[in-house]
Amino acid sequence: MSQLEQSDCINCLSILKQWIELQLVDEEGEPLTGVPYKLKSRGNPSLERTGITDGTGLLRETDLPPMPVILSISAQPLADEIVKRTPRQETGEANSHVKSTAILDRHEYQYITLGMLSDGYPTIQGWEAQELQNSEHFRGSTLQGLSIHQLKRRHVLEVRVIHGCACDRDITLAELQNILPRVPRVRLQNNLAAFNDGFNQFGFTTCREKAHFLAQVFHESGQLRYTKEIGGENASYNPWYGRGLIQLTHRVKYTRYGEYINEDVTSSDENRDKLLSSPHSVLSAFWYYKIWRNNVFNSSQADDFNNVTAVINGGFNGYDDRLNHFKNAIRVLRAGHLNQLLNNNEFEFTRSSIYNQKIYSFAWGLWHDPDTRQRGPAKDRDKALNGYERARELLTANPFTARELGGETYRIARREIPDYINRRIAALRGEGREGGGRERGERGEGGGRERGERGERGGRERGGREGRGN
């Protein structure tokens, strides 16, 4: 007579009385419904049950042998469901309120990742395949499923949320914290709802568009610190000085913004000061970006960072800071898959629409010129030459009109700009003594009128009269 092993299936109803309940929830305790699963007995691999989780995220199997089971979930349906969910601000088992509730209800509890359950690697928008496999969600996973020993119990499985890109969804507080790690959490919380309302109201649907907007706003406002033009009360245009994250100035913009939102922001200091705090500090920035300067939004759709910066600033003040914010936003919002123009961590001059604009080509040369005081991008002789030479080409083909010659750009009289460009090209090529560098166009770092402080200190930087004219 052969000896029975423990794993042999014995057709005995007296032992097939085991059952198990497994409930799948996200980090907020919301059920993961309609997820296909397989449940196998470790003692009898031929015993396999299949189904989908119900409206409470629950699956229940009965008539099981008294042996551990393995739960395996179809990778793609699970990933498609979990990427829709909102992660807790503080992730991990130690911060779980799902755990405390499960234990109070006398259920078993386990905090798990997709890789502990999935039967393969899913495709998630915004993630490269290798990046996903090496992430904390799948690192070390066997893709063999989750082994569970205790039967006749309900097991609550809290699945860690993984986000795809930020297309067609709200951004989260955790994402803002990752983009601006040094900003106090309360400041981010105070603006989060208005950011998401603005994205929805003004039609920012892709993660890339959101990254462009956030990068400019974070720089313009000194990382959400400033919503008021420093010294604005002393400006000649008081009380219509800059307010908001992209500071609106002058009565016409206050009036147009108020008409757009159908609210009084003009009749008194109290009403004008609505723009100093959320939601108007944020929504006025959206209005400026999308309605007043629609070409900014269009440029963000084309991934033209250089033109977005030029239109917002009027030049390239704070260029590197804006670009760093943009790269951080791309990383956090997983917007890399929509890249059009970022190449080797740079936005090339020749691929931007500024290449066909004489003023912004001139600005590209001026801001990169090692012998000027404009600050923003790193000084670069070759880039300065590219800008100046392209501006000369454009001005030769399309000179300033008689009317335009009466003004100035970056504090240089327009009638003198062609000579200025020729001198700078000669100097940068080493063809003679530098003849125009520091005597023109360099007061106030950016050439034109600047307001407040710059960079991380806040305030608005102005590129010049050809700029945005806020």
Side-chain angles (χ1 to χ4, degrees):
M1 176 179 289
S2 63
Q3 184 175 359
L4 291 174
E5 298 294 333
Q6 183 179 5
S7 61
D8 289 338
C9 180
I10 302 174
N11 186 16
C12 177
L13 293 177
S14 63
I15 68 169
L16 293 177
K17 292 183 179 180
Q18 305 296 312
W19 59 270
I20 192 169
E21 292 181 345
L22 301 164
Q23 187 174 27
L24 276 62
V25 300
D26 64 19
E27 291 182 305
E28 295 296 331
E30 296 298 320
L32 301 175
T33 63
V35 178
Y37 70 85
K38 294 179 182 178
L39 191 73
K40 291 184 178 181
S41 172
R42 283 180 54 182
N44 183 4
S46 64
L47 193 157
E48 179 178 295
R49 308 285 176 80
T50 61
I52 61 173
T53 57
D54 67 13
T56 64
L58 187 69
L59 65 94
R60 176 182 171 87
E61 293 294 344
T62 60
D63 298 332
L64 298 172
M67 301 169 187
V69 295
I70 299 174
L71 175 66
S72 181
I73 301 289
S74 299
Q76 197 61 54
L78 178 59
D80 291 343
E81 186 64 29
I82 202 67
V83 295
K84 302 175 185 176
R85 307 308 177 95
T86 301
R88 289 196 311 272
Q89 300 308 324
E90 302 292 340
T91 193
E93 181 176 344
N95 302 295
S96 173
H97 63 80
V98 175
K99 179 179 181 179
S100 58
T101 301
I103 293 175
L104 186 64
D105 293 336
R106 297 186 178 182
H107 300 319
E108 300 298 320
Y109 165 87
Q110 193 167 354
Y111 184 81
I112 59 176
T113 62
L114 270 70
M116 296 170 68
L117 281 179
S118 298
D119 59 3
Y121 294 112
T123 298
I124 299 178
Q125 186 168 319
W127 289 80
E128 297 292 337
Q130 195 61 50
E131 178 190 20
L132 183 63
Q133 293 172 23
N134 293 336
S135 73
E136 65 273 20
H137 301 280
F138 281 91
R139 189 184 305 119
S141 300
T142 64
L143 303 181
Q144 298 298 313
L146 181 67
S147 182
I148 300 170
H149 293 261
Q150 289 183 302
L151 304 183
K152 291 188 174 181
R153 303 294 298 271
R154 174 178 292 193
H155 296 255
V156 177
L157 306 178
E158 180 182 359
V159 185
R160 181 174 180 177
V161 172
I162 178 172
H163 263 154
C165 75
C167 290
D168 300 308
R169 68 164 172 84
D170 287 350
I171 61 174
T172 69
L173 180 58
E175 286 170 333
L176 281 184
Q177 288 178 304
N178 284 334
I179 300 171
L180 298 175
R182 296 181 180 179
V183 173
R185 176 171 171 165
V186 65
R187 192 188 306 167
L188 301 177
Q189 286 177 317
N190 289 342
N191 289 282
L192 177 61
F195 277 131
N196 285 322
D197 288 344
F199 288 138
N200 293 324
Q201 179 179 340
F202 290 88
F204 288 66
T205 58
T206 74
C207 52
R208 197 81 173 185
E209 293 164 2
K210 296 171 186 178
H212 275 287
F213 177 81
L214 292 175
Q216 297 295 328
V217 166
F218 291 163
H219 175 79
E220 289 283 310
S221 63
Q223 299 190 13
L224 306 181
R225 185 178 178 185
Y226 296 98
T227 60
K228 179 180 180 180
E229 178 182 348
I230 298 173
E233 294 90 342
N234 300 320
S236 60
Y237 43 89
N238 179 48
W240 309 103
Y241 54 79
R243 294 175 176 87
L245 293 182
I246 295 182
Q247 294 170 7
L248 300 190
T249 59
H250 303 303
R251 182 169 190 156
V252 63
K253 296 181 184 67
Y254 280 82
T255 301
R256 296 286 181 84
Y257 173 65
E259 290 172 350
Y260 185 83
I261 64 172
N262 194 30
E263 189 169 338
D264 179 8
V265 296
T266 60
S267 65
S268 65
D269 283 341
E270 180 181 3
N271 285 317
R272 285 185 286 272
D273 284 348
K274 291 177 182 178
L275 274 67
L276 298 181
S277 58
S278 184
H280 289 297
S281 58
V282 178
L283 294 181
S284 61
F286 277 105
W287 173 84
Y288 180 90
Y289 193 100
K290 178 70 183 290
I291 307 301
W292 185 259
R293 289 278 193 175
N294 183 255
N295 57 333
V296 179
F297 180 72
N298 293 341
S299 294
S300 73
Q301 290 185 308
D303 200 32
D304 192 348
F305 176 85
N306 290 341
N307 196 56
V308 170
T309 298
V311 175
I312 288 288
N313 176 246
F316 299 101
N317 284 315
Y319 182 90
D320 286 350
D321 185 60
R322 297 170 200 264
L323 183 57
N324 286 335
H325 284 312
F326 182 62
K327 291 176 181 177
N328 283 337
I330 289 173
R331 173 182 57 82
V332 174
L333 302 183
R334 305 208 163 272
H337 67 104
L338 294 181
N339 177 45
Q340 299 177 59
L341 297 179
L342 184 61
N343 183 33
N344 292 325
N345 284 320
E346 291 188 353
F347 284 95
E348 298 172 9
F349 168 58
T350 57
R351 298 184 68 192
S352 169
S353 62
I354 67 170
Y355 185 75
N356 294 316
Q357 301 178 57
K358 56 192 177 188
I359 294 301
Y360 290 153
S361 291
F362 175 48
W364 188 259
L366 196 65
W367 259 262
H368 284 91
D369 191 335
D371 291 323
T372 62
R373 295 176 181 174
Q374 277 84 357
R375 293 187 302 181
K379 296 297 187 177
D380 188 298
R381 171 187 171 277
D382 291 337
K383 289 180 180 179
L385 273 172
N386 290 339
Y388 287 139
E389 289 172 347
R390 179 57 176 167
R392 183 166 66 179
E393 290 176 7
L394 295 171
L395 281 167
T396 300
N398 183 25
F400 290 121
T401 65
R403 181 178 179 182
E404 289 172 335
L405 284 174
E408 61 178 28
T409 294
Y410 310 126
R411 293 193 175 182
I412 303 174
R414 291 198 192 105
R415 64 179 66 254
E416 298 179 11
I417 286 178
D419 287 341
Y420 181 95
I421 290 173
N422 288 332
R423 291 198 305 270
R424 294 309 306 142
I425 290 174
L428 291 168
R429 287 177 175 171
E431 296 175 355
R433 287 189 66 182
E434 181 277 318
R438 293 191 181 258
E439 83 278 17
R440 291 286 184 94
E442 296 153 19
R443 288 172 289 171
E445 308 303 338
R449 181 166 59 83
E450 301 181 351
R451 297 186 292 167
E453 302 175 358
R454 64 184 65 257
E456 298 312 310
R457 292 178 295 162
R460 163 113 69 214
E461 304 161 296
R462 286 289 192 88
R465 294 187 183 179
E466 297 305 318
R468 17 170 317 187
N470 283 341

